[in-house]
Amino acid sequence: MTPEEFLAETNVPRETFDRLLEFDRVLMDWSERHNLIARSTIKDRWERHFFDSAQLVPLLPETVKTLVDLGSGAGFPGLVLAAMLAPRGTQVTLIESTQKKCAFLREAGAAMGLENLKVVPERIESVGLGFKPDIITARALARLEKLLGYGAGIQGKNTRYFLLKGQDVEVELTEAAKSWHMEVVKHPSRTDPRAAILEIGNLARVR
């Protein structure tokens, strides 16, 4: 997938597309010195990373005001979502414990001109946000049971999760159900027929 094919597939506004091109420029600059994404995925990054992240946006409620991305790493999906949700005024918070990756996220966010972005350089287990997010996202961070444990510490009563999961999604759901009550909607991935996006609500620990 080329950037132009991404644009045709997502139909994002030109300003949003320009921001994503800036993100890509910074990503490629940093990738020459740091291993932010697997080198094997660089050539196909517009599908493997950009479009994989962007496919979340049509699933999100129109009313989303606050979104928190856990373990943001190289900015997928967090920076893509921040760019695509900026016209709605959605505030996006990226939580990342690695200082080098935080420096990258800040530099990319500044280059993209994002005013709806905050980078929090803390471990997820000990972070204090001061608000309860409408949406929590994560991609390639941890198995579902552990992810839900991270989210439970910052979620509110109406928080919903949108989690990009790979081919082990059914096994992870079975594992997580031993520890968590949850309502799950499984959306098919548009980038990998073996993968899925898990939309989770009403999360509570099994007593």
Side-chain angles (χ1 to χ4, degrees):
M1 178 180 280
T2 65
E4 289 70 28
E5 287 169 337
F6 172 93
L7 178 60
E9 192 69 37
T10 59
N11 198 31
V12 295
R14 186 73 215 188
E15 181 182 13
T16 300
F17 184 57
D18 288 343
R19 283 173 161 162
L20 293 173
L21 289 174
E22 274 298 295
F23 174 18
D24 186 54
R25 180 187 64 76
V26 178
L27 178 67
M28 288 300 93
D29 178 51
W30 273 65
S31 291
E32 291 181 4
R33 305 183 302 280
H34 306 287
N35 192 25
L36 289 174
I37 59 175
R39 297 205 176 277
S40 61
T41 67
I42 287 177
K43 185 177 179 182
D44 198 26
R45 65 191 180 276
W46 277 90
E47 180 171 13
R48 290 283 295 275
H49 298 300
F50 284 89
F51 186 61
D52 191 51
S53 300
Q55 66 175 323
L56 290 177
V57 174
L59 303 177
L60 301 178
E62 286 287 335
T63 55
V64 56
K65 294 285 188 289
T66 54
L67 183 148
V68 171
D69 184 49
L70 305 179
S72 297
F76 302 107
L79 282 177
V80 174
L81 298 178
M84 293 180 69
L85 295 173
R88 298 192 201 175
T90 303
Q91 294 297 309
V92 175
T93 301
L94 312 184
I95 302 176
E96 174 54 56
S97 61
T98 305
Q99 293 300 322
K100 178 183 72 177
K101 291 176 180 175
C102 285
F104 164 75
L105 293 169
R106 289 196 181 100
E107 182 175 324
M112 295 163 76
L114 293 173
E115 297 180 358
N116 62 326
L117 181 73
K118 181 178 181 181
V119 178
V120 177
E122 294 183 37
R123 294 184 63 82
I124 302 165
E125 304 94 315
S126 56
V127 71
L129 292 176
F131 67 94
K132 302 298 184 184
D134 296 328
I135 302 295
I136 292 175
T137 59
R139 178 180 185 262
L141 176 62
R143 292 184 74 82
L144 181 60
E145 182 179 5
K146 192 169 187 178
L147 265 183
L148 297 176
Y150 289 151
I154 60 173
Q155 73 172 21
K157 181 181 175 184
N158 298 313
T159 299
R160 296 191 73 77
Y161 294 75
F162 288 83
L163 308 173
L164 292 143
K165 302 303 294 182
Q167 60 187 13
D168 292 335
V169 60
E170 292 298 339
V171 174
E172 291 191 39
L173 277 168
T174 301
E175 280 179 359
K178 297 172 185 174
S179 303
W180 299 98
H181 295 297
M182 53 186 159
E183 293 178 1
V184 181
V185 179
K186 195 166 70 170
H187 302 279
S189 169
R190 295 171 64 187
T191 60
D192 184 348
R194 301 165 299 171
I197 298 159
L198 297 181
E199 178 182 351
I200 295 173
N202 293 327
L203 180 72
R205 282 193 185 274
V206 172
R207 299 289 178 194

